[in-house]
Amino acid sequence: MSQNGAPDFAELLRSARHTAVHLELRDIYDVGDETGSFDRFLRTGAVDLDPESAQWQGWTPLVREAIGRGVVMRRARIVSTPVTDYIRYEHAMTPVNVAIGEQVRWLPRDRASDIALPGNDLWLIDDRLVLFHFFTGVGDWAGHEFTEDPAVVKLCASAFETVWERGTAHGEFTV
């Protein structure tokens, strides 16, 4: 459990029975655990595409476990074009997400203007619980919030599905 009594992310994902969807809305993230990898990408263009590597060990087992239980995991990213360096980095690493079972789609921001979107990135678990992620203006972690409010869940589910329908599968999206 996290300090506020809500489940931590691993517990949250382990609670999923049917679906876990992730909506990403930012063009820049600057979270500490990616700093070295992102700096390396900027210098060399190289990313770690080995799902068994240390870089991926916090994520790969969680996804494989969820998918092994029959959970469908989808990730949709709304991005500005031309894309930022961070989005180029994220795009270069996404083959790992796909290889371990996530489905990923990308939507250029100019195709999202008429979608009622939540104000923050989110995870929606089984159309019942939303985890919002908060970031600072420069993209560092700033906290999170859980809600099961039916109106919020409905907004988030509708926004995600609309983005998903309009999005382009990772393998077909170029940056």
Side-chain angles (χ1 to χ4, degrees):
M1 289 279 183
S2 67
Q3 291 178 342
N4 65 1
D8 68 19
F9 184 77
E11 290 174 28
L12 180 70
L13 193 53
R14 286 184 184 115
S15 77
R17 295 293 166 245
H18 307 287
T19 60
V21 303
H22 188 32
L23 182 59
E24 297 179 28
L25 304 169
R26 297 182 55 90
D27 288 318
I28 297 172
Y29 296 87
D30 188 20
V31 293
D33 61 343
E34 293 178 341
T35 301
S37 175
F38 182 52
D39 289 344
R40 180 174 154 230
F41 173 77
L42 291 175
R43 283 191 322 277
T44 68
V47 293
D48 182 350
L49 294 177
D50 177 4
E52 307 309 321
S53 73
Q55 177 178 336
W56 289 96
Q57 282 313 296
W59 188 243
T60 298
L62 287 173
V63 173
R64 286 181 173 154
E65 179 186 330
I67 290 179
R69 290 192 320 274
V71 174
V72 175
M73 290 188 67
R74 297 182 294 159
R75 179 185 301 256
R77 295 173 169 146
I78 298 176
V79 296
S80 298
T81 53
V83 300
T84 62
D85 286 341
Y86 184 86
I87 295 301
R88 285 188 316 103
Y89 162 74
E90 198 171 53
H91 187 270
M93 291 192 358
T94 299
V96 174
N97 299 87
V98 173
I100 62 175
E102 285 186 71
Q103 300 171 44
V104 180
R105 291 191 183 176
W106 302 81
L107 181 66
R109 193 170 307 283
D110 62 354
R111 294 188 49 219
S113 296
D114 62 342
I115 303 171
L117 294 168
N120 295 288
D121 286 16
L122 64 92
W123 278 92
L124 173 61
I125 305 297
D126 292 332
D127 287 331
R128 67 174 170 80
L129 185 139
V130 176
L131 167 63
F132 288 111
H133 285 254
F134 305 129
F135 296 90
T136 66
V138 295
D140 201 1
W141 291 109
H144 63 270
E145 176 180 281
F146 292 88
T147 183
E148 293 179 295
D149 179 308
V152 174
V153 168
K154 182 178 177 181
L155 167 73
C156 294
S158 175
F160 182 88
E161 291 305 326
T162 303
V163 170
W164 188 258
E165 289 169 13
R166 292 185 190 180
T168 301
H170 174 72
E172 299 168 18
F173 187 79
T174 57
V175 296

